[in-house]
């Protein structure tokens, strides 16, 4: 991709002397309570408190395992690096006053919505914690818990504490994603006036800060919980719990993270896409004004939505993905070590924490490899931003292979099977290759440099209907290659694990499932860099909006448009990566569920027979759940967008001076409409996801009791989980890819193809984009969380179904 010399070097001339219309919505800046408390504490006192906190963490880590100390050390260093990245980003200038005021309005809107949304989510989390407590106080216990003296009440309080900690950390991960994006957007806009490379570097480093904090928190949260339970319960001492059973106590953490991520993704997705659809339909199609034009009353709501939907929700989403994958792999590692009678099982249990600690290190190298040192006065065309990001990803992938092999030898070498670590290293390589294929496949179907999106843009030239048909067929076709890749990776990893030489007392191979777990770790071993690329997208999108609203020269908008188009592709590739890892993680969680049912029921539970009518019905209900959830998520966007469209039309009719810059739109009204509607609309699909498996399990448990079928409730829920996972993977792939392709087909036409902006072809592409918006940013990403949350909720509630 080539950019004109004057664009790249920033020789743009003076600002255009045009009226600059921008909102002055700023009230007083909002800081969370915890920040206000810290600001009031004396610096020396705060320093002593931090030292004591770190000392306590390292003390319990040292009493648990040297591996935990290593994990703590890496996480703390990654937090220090993230602080450096924040300071570096915040040291950049914010540009002229009109840019700052627009940024302030976006920040106020995002922080206000976040505060209201998370107060609603926290109330629901407390209510659910109470339900879990009641269930655990009256449920049966496992033989292992009985032998270790872990009573019902202790087990109940541990699960509830883990659930609340997971929910809290997931919320903080979301806040961190939003906090940095609302501060980086204006700095990227300002840098775009000077150099495209500098704007790219600021956006990447801002995304890197968020990614390091999210991944670091997921790892250190589980490590602290594991070490605390280890020391408190006296694990591995005579008459107490075995270390192989300890990971099951962490399931609540994954459920808490999934719970918050689901509502964050739903609420944020409804907010951002309702505002986007409303702004596009009236602004672009009816009034013929450009995207992010200050005359559009819904433009601030749209820009706020990028932060609460794409940044905050995606941070919580990836946090939940990593937490679910780590916990399921720890459970399977412990189960396998127990069956194989491995002397020191801690390596197999703590292996996921080590892999993600190395992820923080190698992703930091990848983030810092994107530099902006080129002399801005040199007259040469700019490199394609996607190529720069891909170069950083290639460095990260290369380092991931090296560190993964090293960590498998360190953690998984055992005298019982000396070559097992090589097999597991190959499993990790399968996962890393799978991640790379997923990124490449999604890029092929959603980047306008490739054939599928260009064919979709061509279909727009014959009208709105052909655009929709082409987009739907592209999305359906794009499910094939990822499914083939997932299938090959699951079978390859299972086979490599099974042939590792690890066998149980009867001589049966036991490493298959753990091999699949290692492949999932391999896929997520570059998660921090992938999240960085994802966060880059909405920051670049916001920067373009600020440039357009503050009426900067066209050449500045050209830079932000290029970054925005690349950001659309990186967001789409991250969603492909997320659904691939969700598929593998759900397979692991399903296996962990079957193990847990067998433990509680005290009888084998190794297969689910779908020839039993009730079990088959459970599968049908699981598939139906995915479709009904997607329908409710999309219709929520549609209803809210209708309210926005009516409001924007009303303002254009009642304030005719808006189009001539003589009257100012009421931006706050649109923000208020989408905020209240998204909070109201997120409840129904979220409640459906949480209540469905519980109701199905209890109803079929009662039916099984009266018909004499043992474990019927658990079997039906297993079928529901299995079918929902399969349907969810396909549905999410379809929604994400179709939505991303529609968006970039519109972007391709806006570069001048097929008549460019304002043409009939462009209007048809905008229609396709509005259809794709709820697909790719509301329903699609919510399904990633949904299929993992179904798995974690069944793990937590398994005793209820017996």
């Amino acid at each position: 991709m080539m950019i004109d010399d004057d664009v790249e070097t920033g020789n743009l001339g003076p600002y255009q002397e045009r009226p600059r219309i921008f909102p002055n919505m700023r009230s007083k800046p909002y800081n969370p309570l915890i920040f206000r408390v810290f600001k009031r504490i004396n610096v020396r006192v705060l320093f002593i408190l931090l030292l004591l906190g770190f000392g306590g963490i390292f003390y319990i880590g040292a009493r648990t395992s040297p591996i935990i100390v290593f994990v703590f050390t890496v996480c703390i260093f990654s937090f220090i690096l993230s602080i450096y990245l924040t300071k570096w980003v915040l040291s950049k200038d914010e540009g002229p006053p009109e840019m700052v005021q627009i940024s302030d309005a976006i920040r106020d809107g995002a922080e206000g919505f976040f505060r209201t949304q998370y107060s609603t989510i926290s109330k629901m989390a407390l209510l659910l914690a109470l339900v879990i407590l009641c269930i655990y106080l009256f449920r049966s216990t496992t033989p292992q818990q009985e032998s270790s003296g872990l009573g019902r009440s202790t087990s109940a309080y541990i699960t509830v504490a883990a659930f609340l900690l997971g929910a809290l950390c997931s919320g903080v991960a979301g806040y961190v994603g939003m906090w940095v994006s609302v501060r980086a957007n204006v700095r990227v806009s300002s840098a775009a006036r000077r150099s495209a490379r500098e704007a790219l570097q600021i956006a990447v480093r801002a995304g890197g800060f968020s990614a390091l904090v999210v991944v670091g928190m997921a790892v250190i949260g589980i490590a602290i919980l594991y070490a605390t339970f280890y020391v408190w319960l006296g694990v591995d001492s005579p008459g107490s719990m075995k270390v192989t059973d300890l990971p099951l106590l962490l399931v609540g953490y994954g459920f808490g993270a999934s719970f918050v991520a689901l509502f964050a993704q739903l609420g944020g997705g409804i907010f951002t896409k309702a505002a986007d659809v409303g702004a596009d339909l009236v602004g672009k199609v009816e009034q013929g004004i450009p995207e992010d034009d200050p005359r559009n009353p819904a433009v601030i709501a749209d820009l706020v939505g990028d932060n609460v939907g794409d940044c905050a929700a995606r941070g919580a989403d990836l946090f939940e993905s990593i937490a679910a994958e780590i916990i399921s792999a720890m459970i399977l590692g412990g189960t396998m070590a127990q069956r194989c009678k491995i002397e020191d099982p801690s390596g197999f249990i703590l292996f996921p924490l080590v892999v993600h600690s190395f992820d923080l290190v190698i992703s930091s190298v990848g983030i810092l490899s994107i530099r902006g040192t080129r002399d801005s006065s040199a007259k040469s065309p700019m490199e394609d931003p996607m190529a720069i990001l891909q170069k950083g990803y290639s460095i990260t992938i290369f380092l991931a292979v090296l560190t993964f092999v090293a960590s498998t030898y360190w953690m998984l070498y055992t005298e019982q099977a000396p070559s097992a670590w090589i097999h597991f290293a190959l499993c990790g390589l399968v996962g890393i290759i799978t991640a790379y294929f997923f990124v490449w496949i999604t890029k092929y179907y959603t980047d306008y440099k490739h054939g599928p999106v260009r064919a979709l843009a061509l279909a727009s030239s014959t009208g709105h209907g052909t655009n929709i048909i082409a987009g739907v067929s592209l999305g359906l076709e794009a499910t094939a290659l990822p499914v083939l890749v997932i299938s090959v990776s699951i079978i390859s990893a299972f086979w490599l694990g099974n042939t590792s030489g690890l066998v149980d007392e009867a001589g049966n191979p036991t490493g298959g499932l753990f091999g699949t777990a290692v492949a999932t770790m391999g896929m997520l071993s570059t998660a921090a860099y992938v999240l960085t690329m994802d966060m880059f997208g909405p920051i670049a999108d916001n920067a373009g909006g600020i440039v357009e609203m503050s009426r900067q020269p066209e050449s500045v908008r050209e830079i932000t448009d290029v970054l925005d188009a690349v950001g659309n592709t990186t967001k789409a590739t991250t969603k492909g990566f997320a659904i691939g890892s969700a598929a593998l993680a759900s397979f692991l969680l399903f296996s962990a569920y079957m193990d847990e049912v067998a433990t509680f029921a005290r009888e084998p539970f190794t297969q689910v027979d779908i020839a039993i009518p009730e079990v088959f019905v459970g599968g049908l209900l699981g598939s139906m759940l995915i479709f009904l959830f997607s329908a409710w998520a999309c219709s929520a966007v549609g209803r809210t967008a209708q309210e926005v469209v009516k409001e924007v039309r009303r303002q254009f009719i009642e304030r005719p001076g808006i189009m001539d810059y003589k009257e100012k739109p009421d931006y706050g009204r649109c923000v208020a409409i989408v905020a209240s509607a998204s909070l109201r609309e997120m409840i129904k699909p979220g409640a459906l996801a949480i209540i469905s498996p519980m109701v199905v399990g209890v109803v079929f448990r009662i039916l099984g009791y009266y018909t004499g079928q043992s474990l019927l409730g658990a079997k039906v829920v297993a079928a529901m989980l299995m079918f929902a996972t399969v349907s969810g993977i396909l549905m999410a792939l379809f929604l994400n890819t179709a939505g991303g392709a529609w968006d970039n087909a519109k972007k391709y036409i806006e570069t001048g193809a097929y008549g460019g902006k304002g043409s009939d072809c462009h209007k048809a592409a905008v229609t396709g984009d509005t259809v794709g918006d709820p697909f790719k940013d509301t329903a699609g990403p919510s399904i990633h969380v949904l299929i993992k949350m179904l798995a974690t909720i069944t793990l937590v509630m398994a005793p209820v179904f017996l």
Side-chain angles (χ1 to χ4, degrees):
M1 188 180 297
M2 309 289 276
I3 298 183
D4 295 337
D5 290 342
D6 63 334
V7 176
E8 161 58 7
T9 56
N11 298 326
L12 306 171
Y15 289 137
Q16 293 161 306
E17 293 302 319
R18 288 185 287 178
R20 295 193 177 102
I21 305 296
F22 44 88
N24 191 3
M25 290 165 51
R26 193 132 175 92
S27 50
K28 60 179 183 179
Y30 166 72
N31 282 316
L33 178 63
I34 191 165
F35 286 6
R36 297 200 296 272
V37 170
F38 277 135
K39 282 181 180 177
R40 288 175 188 166
I41 299 173
N42 182 281
V43 176
R44 289 179 184 174
V45 175
L46 191 60
F47 182 70
I48 292 166
L49 288 172
L50 284 171
L51 274 181
L52 288 171
F54 287 139
I57 288 170
F58 277 100
Y59 171 73
I60 62 165
R63 285 194 58 186
T64 307
S65 165
I67 298 164
I68 293 287
V69 175
F70 167 77
V71 170
F72 285 162
T73 306
V74 172
C75 288
I76 287 165
F77 274 110
S78 75
F79 292 149
I80 291 168
L81 176 62
S82 67
I83 291 167
Y84 160 74
L85 291 176
T86 314
K87 288 198 161 189
W88 187 88
V89 169
L90 296 180
S91 68
K92 300 296 177 183
D93 73 286
E94 294 182 307
E98 61 270 14
M99 279 188 175
V100 178
Q101 281 191 275
I102 295 163
S103 171
D104 285 347
I106 295 168
R107 189 185 309 175
D108 278 356
E111 290 182 341
F113 175 73
F114 187 92
R115 193 160 66 248
T116 311
Q117 182 191 27
Y118 274 74
S119 69
T120 306
I121 293 173
S122 60
K123 287 169 190 166
M124 291 190 291
L126 288 170
L127 182 64
L128 188 56
L130 198 62
V131 172
I132 294 169
L133 181 67
C134 294
I135 288 169
Y136 268 63
L137 285 173
F138 298 102
R139 67 165 207 173
S140 59
T141 53
T142 65
Q144 292 91 336
Q145 287 172 341
E146 287 172 5
S147 63
S148 64
L150 189 68
R152 287 179 183 174
S153 58
T154 310
S155 175
Y157 292 125
I158 283 174
T159 306
V160 168
F163 171 80
L164 291 174
L165 182 65
L168 176 68
C169 290
S170 186
V172 172
Y175 182 75
V176 163
M178 187 269 300
W179 186 90
V180 69
S181 65
V182 295
R183 286 160 178 80
N185 52 19
V186 70
R187 289 167 171 85
V188 175
S189 305
S190 179
R193 298 176 301 134
R194 297 185 293 274
S195 159
R197 176 61 85 99
E198 186 189 347
L200 172 71
Q201 190 188 14
I202 292 171
V204 167
R205 289 198 168 187
F209 156 74
S210 179
L212 291 175
V213 171
V214 167
V215 176
M217 274 187 55
V219 175
I220 204 169
I222 292 172
I224 288 172
L225 211 55
Y226 177 89
T228 304
F229 291 162
Y230 188 96
V231 173
W232 178 41
L233 299 171
V235 172
D236 272 353
S237 56
S240 64
M241 178 180 275
K242 290 180 182 176
V243 71
T244 49
D245 297 323
L246 183 56
L248 274 172
L249 298 178
L250 307 176
V251 169
Y253 186 88
F255 181 32
S258 299
F259 177 82
V260 170
L262 180 70
F263 283 101
Q265 188 67 69
L266 273 172
I270 293 166
F271 186 110
T272 182
K273 290 302 113 181
D276 195 1
V277 169
D280 281 357
L281 285 177
V282 183
K284 285 184 185 176
V285 178
E286 293 181 9
Q287 298 294 332
I289 57 178
E291 187 166 1
D292 300 326
D293 192 288
R295 292 169 289 182
N296 193 328
V299 70
I300 287 288
D302 183 11
L303 296 173
V304 167
D306 290 335
N307 295 291
V308 298
D310 289 337
C311 289
R314 197 73 71 253
D317 181 0
L318 207 71
F319 174 90
E320 177 266 342
S321 291
I322 294 165
E325 177 262 327
I326 290 175
I327 291 165
S328 58
M330 288 173 85
I331 291 169
L332 292 173
T335 304
M336 188 191 70
Q338 194 171 16
R339 284 177 185 164
C340 298
K341 298 286 187 279
I342 292 170
E343 283 184 21
D344 181 15
S346 61
F348 288 87
I349 294 168
L350 299 177
F351 179 60
L353 294 173
V354 171
V355 169
H356 286 292
S357 298
F358 279 123
D359 170 21
L360 291 166
V361 176
I362 60 176
S363 296
S364 300
V365 174
I367 291 161
L368 294 173
S369 71
I370 296 170
R371 306 182 65 83
T373 54
R374 196 168 69 74
D375 180 10
S376 63
S377 63
K379 289 271 183 182
S380 62
M382 178 196 175
E383 224 179 321
D384 175 8
M386 193 70 203
I388 298 170
L389 292 172
Q390 285 281 19
K391 199 181 293 178
Y393 186 52
S394 300
I395 291 168
T396 310
I397 287 269
F398 173 72
L399 292 173
V401 173
L402 297 181
T403 55
F404 207 94
V405 171
S407 50
T408 45
Y409 180 72
W410 174 30
M411 303 292 291
L412 304 183
Y413 179 81
T414 173
E415 292 294 337
Q416 285 172 244
S419 63
W421 73 271
I422 298 171
H423 284 252
F424 291 128
L426 290 172
C427 289
L429 198 60
V430 166
I432 292 168
I433 293 167
T434 302
Y436 193 84
F437 271 121
F438 257 88
V439 169
W440 185 86
I441 291 166
T442 317
K443 183 171 174 288
Y444 173 73
Y445 278 108
T446 57
D447 193 337
Y448 64 59
K449 291 182 201 143
H450 302 293
V453 174
R454 295 200 171 200
L456 180 53
L458 178 62
S460 306
S461 62
T462 49
H464 301 250
T466 48
N467 169 281
I468 299 299
I469 293 166
V472 169
S473 59
L474 184 151
L476 292 169
E477 181 192 313
T479 60
L481 281 176
V483 166
L484 292 175
V485 170
I486 290 173
S487 305
V488 170
S489 64
I490 287 175
I491 292 169
S492 305
F494 191 89
W495 181 82
L496 282 166
N498 242 15
T499 55
S500 63
L502 289 168
V503 292
D504 61 15
E505 289 175 314
N508 300 316
T510 59
L513 279 175
F514 189 68
T516 315
V518 174
T520 313
M521 287 177 240
M523 190 166 186
L524 283 167
S525 63
T526 55
Y529 189 85
V530 172
L531 182 59
T532 299
M533 291 202 297
D534 185 71
M535 292 288 184
F536 164 84
I539 291 170
D541 191 356
N542 253 218
I546 291 171
V547 164
E548 182 68 40
M549 285 197 72
S550 59
R551 314 299 293 164
Q552 301 302 313
E554 188 62 32
S555 46
V556 183
R557 179 73 210 207
E558 281 176 32
I559 287 180
T560 54
D561 276 350
V562 169
L563 295 179
D564 186 17
V566 170
N568 270 339
T569 305
T570 59
K571 281 195 290 184
T573 54
T574 311
K575 285 165 192 158
F577 173 89
I579 195 60
S581 61
L584 290 174
S586 297
F587 178 68
L588 302 183
L589 288 163
F590 179 74
S591 307
Y593 166 74
M594 294 186 77
D595 280 348
E596 190 181 8
V597 169
T599 307
F600 275 105
R602 307 184 191 197
E603 61 179 273
F605 186 61
T606 54
Q607 58 187 25
V608 180
D609 185 1
I610 60 167
I612 298 169
E614 292 89 346
V615 176
F616 183 72
V617 167
L620 280 178
L621 292 172
S623 295
M624 178 213 71
L625 172 63
I626 297 296
F627 282 81
L628 187 59
F629 177 86
S630 304
W632 284 0
C634 289
S635 65
V637 173
R639 280 192 298 272
T640 311
Q642 286 172 11
E643 293 181 45
V644 176
V645 166
K646 288 174 186 170
E647 173 59 25
V648 174
R649 283 175 178 164
R650 182 192 67 77
Q651 290 199 32
F652 277 127
I653 292 166
E654 294 179 7
R655 302 183 183 189
I658 287 176
M659 290 300 288
D660 303 321
Y661 298 99
K662 290 174 183 173
E663 287 185 83
K664 181 175 165 183
D666 182 359
Y667 301 106
R669 179 75 189 131
C670 287
V671 173
I673 286 171
V674 286
S676 61
S678 56
L679 290 172
R680 184 177 66 248
E681 297 281 1
M682 75 179 184
I683 304 294
K684 191 166 77 166
L688 174 77
I690 293 163
I691 294 167
S692 297
M694 295 164 68
V695 169
V696 167
V698 171
V699 167
F700 281 95
R701 175 194 174 175
I702 295 166
L703 187 65
Y705 176 77
Y706 284 109
T707 56
Q709 300 179 71
S710 68
L711 300 184
L712 184 65
K715 288 175 183 175
V716 171
V717 169
M720 184 182 191
L721 191 54
M722 194 191 303
F723 280 63
T725 302
V726 171
S727 304
I729 292 164
L730 293 169
M731 178 65 87
L733 284 168
F734 162 67
L735 295 173
N736 290 339
T737 314
W742 267 316
D743 197 348
N744 271 347
K746 177 199 72 177
K747 288 272 190 296
Y748 178 57
I749 292 167
E750 286 174 352
T751 62
Y754 306 116
K757 291 182 182 179
S759 63
D760 287 342
C761 183
H762 181 237
K763 287 179 179 177
V766 170
T767 301
D769 181 34
T770 54
V771 173
D773 275 339
F775 280 25
K776 69 182 171 67
D777 287 322
T778 308
S782 297
I783 291 173
H784 306 165
V785 187
L786 171 67
I787 60 177
K788 283 170 292 183
M789 199 194 73
L790 287 173
T792 51
I793 197 172
T794 51
L795 267 175
V796 172
M797 300 294 180
V800 181
F801 310 143
L802 302 175

